[in-house]
Amino acid sequence: MAYEHTADAHHHDEHDHHGPAHGWRRWVFATNHKDIGSMYLIFACVMFFVGGLMAMIIRAELFQPGLQLVEPQFFNSMTTMHALVMIFGAVMPAWTGLANWMIPMQVGAPDMALPRLNNFSFWILPFAFTLLLSTLFVPGGAPAGGWTLYPPLSLQTGDGFPMAIFAIHLMGASSILGSINVVVTIMNMRAPGVGLLNMPLFCWSWLITAYLLIATMPVLAGAVTMLLTDHFFATSFFSASGGGDPVMFQHIFWFFGHPEVYILILPAFGIISEIVPAFSRKPLFGYDAMVYATAAIAFLSFIVWAHHMFTVGMPLAGQLFFTLSTMMISIPTGVKVFNWTATMWKGSLSFETPMLFALAFLFLFTIGGFSGLMLAVVPADFQYHDTYFVVAHFHYVLVPGAVFAIMAGTYFWLPKWTGNMYDEKLGKLHFWLSAIFVNVLFFPQHFLGLAGMPRRIPDYSTQFADWNMVSSLGAFGFGLSQLLFPYIIWKCVKGGQKATDKVWEGTKGLEWELSSPPPYHSWTEPPSREIVARGVQH
Amino acid sequence: MSFQMKNRPARRGFQAAAISLFATLATAAHANWGGLNMPEGVSILSKKIYGLHMLIMWICVILAVVVFGAMIYSMVKFRKSQGAVADTTIVHSTKVEIVWTVIPILILVGMAVPIARTLIEIEDMGDVDVNIKVTGYQWKWEYEYLGENVSFFSTLKRDSDAARQVGSGIDPESVPNYLLDVDNVLVIPAGQKVRFLLTAQDVIHAWWVPAFGMKKDAIPGYVNEIWVQVEADKTGVYRGQCAELCGRDHGFMPIVVEVKSPADYDAWLRAKQAEQKLADVAPGTPAPVASAAAANVTQQ
């Protein structure tokens, strides 16, 4: 296997003779799933703060009416880049990082199936984001037409335009390669006894996510390539004056964009499905239903895209179809929320930091789900569309949804990764500050949207002043609280109370059968039948 | 919160966060509390849309009470610190799972009926009294009263435009209707069905007056339709904004509609026709010609 070629034998731990290489070679030539996973997670964390800084600029400008800090064009660049950086730079790499760390350990494999591909798919990312972020310094500035890149507006971007398009191509390539690796690993590297219907739900949700990525990233690549040729090669795919159709771009974009929404959230469902049972000391309720619900959500995500564009002027039948298919998503999603609740029912709950983040996820993601249900009602969407109500909705599902799940997963597995317990007091402090400020930040945005404030505006009429100020204060509080997160991780990596192999009382799964920290190559021999029987879900 | 916090720093952090929460709420104490919900609006459709909004919102509130109630109950009742012992036999129940799949399906089917009914009404463009073509430009609106020989541009009012410049030093609070005022107001009659035909010259815009309940995109190469019938007694001024990101000054192309009684509307229209005829014979003069030239510049 590939990992055997990498290392010159160092005696780093008692399990394995293949230790990591020294110095920069360990990272640049990395083929180890843990090293690559760590690089993904560090990259995601850096991008989380870069995107967060942009959010702080946005909220600082919106702190009060009038333009105090930035020009409108730069403000638009900030909203556009904030979205691209957070989606493609923070959340998606964080999921791939967690997949790298956990999937081989969870399925009983020594490493990811394709280690060199793994290296490549990570190292594309720093180049992609250097390219994307350097658009801030070229004539015409960074893209400012929204992350959705709708033409004709996106075609007005300056010299940064082709750079942003190529950056998106690179990110897409990285995601596809990472997804192929996940699929191959889960399909081929499961230890004997680890079946598809008893592997951890994190693996299941990632398997489905990987298929979504492989299916939709080429669609995005196609859409942005057509933008590129419209701009430079005189095609008119999206230009009405040349016989093209600007609305067609939106259809293509959202055919990628809606599955993308589930790419961002399905792995979160997987993590929550691991954490809630662990801290309820009770098996997950309805494992099969959870798998089928995840698959159903993934399927439905391909036939709801036009609900992002109800206001473009669709035929009545189209509006009815997309409103009904969208509302149908709430059925499998509801099944998931009910199953998590039933998992806690008659359990024995304790509230360590991972569980606190998971519980906040349950409440706040569900609020985002409710506002999503409201947005599915087409006539009402004619009012909600492109207002702060939508901003509140997708931030509820992405911040206390996806981001809280990433944090929950990090606190959950950090002792396993490092062999040390993190500082529980600081973890709880981080949780409470995050959970309170995230609501101060985003809940008032529902009011602003309903009262009529459009999104993506740098300045607003004075009737919106009060709630914008509250929201901005929440944003500053939330942003500052996040500085705790890397500090807690750093502290944990440096040392702390030693973690047991099982780490938490209620954990179940093959990763908990390994030592803490685990050997450099996870399962050099497939786990025995007894270990597998102990570790599998049911 | 029902969580038990044994350690002091966490509690201190919780208190600090709670204090700042109350501080921010206190900041909002003089907030416009009427601005918490969607306005009911003044048109036939806006009231129906508001009704649907309230219906789905109450459904969500009831579901939230049930789901969050069960979660909070579990968090309070089944705590390890209170000696709860997990019942590890509860892993599956076909009966319960069918129940909580079927109930949401019934709710959705129930919602589908009023949604479809309202949509059919929204799409009914028959029996129109007044037709107005709305064209979006970066960053202004053009209104054309079809068949009436009246058309004009509508842009952000000067005082707002001066105040909104970075470092203008002008307090937005001192500007009446800051960012929501225009030079030329769109006028429509109350109690009549007005159809808006929406299109754009450069990029995609969206025409939205919240009080009318509807927004729709104005797209180059497309003509979209919406209709508005303001209730006969709801004359007055209603304000809105462009709702689709359209570039640098997207936030600065407001919409102001004055709803007049049909008699006042006719008088206004006749005066406007006379004014525009004058403008046609004397090309050097006022607004329409100058702004049309400006529009041509933005087109290029």
Side-chain angles (χ1 to χ4, degrees), chain B residues 63-84:
Chain B
L63 289 173
V65 168
V66 174
V67 176
F68 293 165
M71 287 179 192
I72 291 168
Y73 181 83
S74 308
M75 280 158 52
V76 173
K77 183 90 180 170
F78 308 120
R79 300 156 72 91
K80 188 174 181 244
S81 59
Q82 305 293 311

Side-chain angles (χ1 to χ4, degrees), chain B residues 212-255:
Chain B
F212 298 165
M214 287 292 300
K215 77 165 70 69
K216 208 158 233 185
D217 293 354
I219 305 168
Y222 274 74
V223 178
N224 273 330
E225 306 176 300
I226 55 173
W227 67 269
V228 171
Q229 183 168 341
V230 176
E231 290 173 341
D233 59 334
K234 293 289 198 291
T235 54
V237 177
Y238 302 100
R239 297 168 200 277
Q241 280 177 273
C242 177
E244 175 70 46
L245 179 60
C246 59
R248 191 189 69 212
D249 287 352
H250 162 57
F252 309 103
M253 48 184 292
I255 297 154

Side-chain angles (χ1 to χ4, degrees), chain A residues 118-341:
Chain A
N118 209 5
N119 176 297
F120 186 47
S121 61
F122 170 76
W123 278 109
I124 290 174
L125 284 180
F127 293 93
F129 280 87
T130 307
L131 196 56
L132 182 69
L133 292 171
S134 53
T135 60
L136 283 163
F137 308 102
V138 301
W147 82 278
T148 49
L149 301 166
Y150 284 4
L153 182 62
S154 61
L155 300 173
Q156 295 180 349
T157 312
D159 292 357
F161 181 73
M163 297 163 71
I165 300 282
F166 286 131
I168 290 171
H169 276 141
L170 287 173
M171 295 166 203
S174 163
S175 298
I176 291 171
L177 299 179
S179 303
I180 290 171
N181 216 343
V182 167
V183 171
V184 177
T185 305
I186 293 177
M187 287 309 197
N188 295 301
M189 307 271 285
R190 275 175 290 121
V194 182
L196 276 180
L197 274 178
N198 62 18
M199 68 182 181
L201 269 166
F202 180 65
C203 296
W204 251 117
S205 59
W206 236 111
L207 181 65
I208 292 170
T209 304
Y211 277 109
L212 288 181
L213 277 163
I214 293 169
T216 59
M217 279 295 159
V219 179
L220 175 67
V224 297
T225 307
M226 284 188 268
L227 282 182
L228 198 70
T229 62
D230 268 14
H231 194 288
F232 292 106
F233 303 108
T235 58
S236 355
F237 290 110
F238 308 128
S239 153
S241 56
D245 182 348
V247 176
M248 186 174 74
F249 177 86
Q250 301 186 20
H251 283 290
I252 301 172
F253 180 86
W254 286 113
F255 186 79
F256 143 81
H258 199 80
E260 170 69 21
V261 171
Y262 291 98
I263 288 164
L264 298 174
I265 202 68
L266 287 186
F269 292 169
I271 285 187
I272 300 304
S273 303
E274 311 249 330
I275 293 175
V276 170
F279 294 94
S280 304
R281 293 164 180 79
K282 196 167 153 277
L284 183 70
F285 185 89
Y287 174 95
D288 293 1
M290 285 302 225
V291 173
Y292 299 140
T294 311
I297 291 170
F299 169 74
L300 288 172
S301 76
F302 283 104
I303 57 165
V304 298
W305 74 89
H307 70 214
H308 294 271
M309 36 192 290
F310 278 140
T311 61
V312 295
M314 258 183 283
L316 180 63
Q319 296 181 40
L320 280 174
F321 173 80
F322 285 109
T323 197
L324 292 177
S325 59
T326 303
M327 291 173 87
M328 268 165 67
I329 291 191
S330 66
I331 295 165
T333 313
V335 166
K336 286 188 157 293
V337 173
F338 297 140
N339 279 356
W340 289 320
T341 311

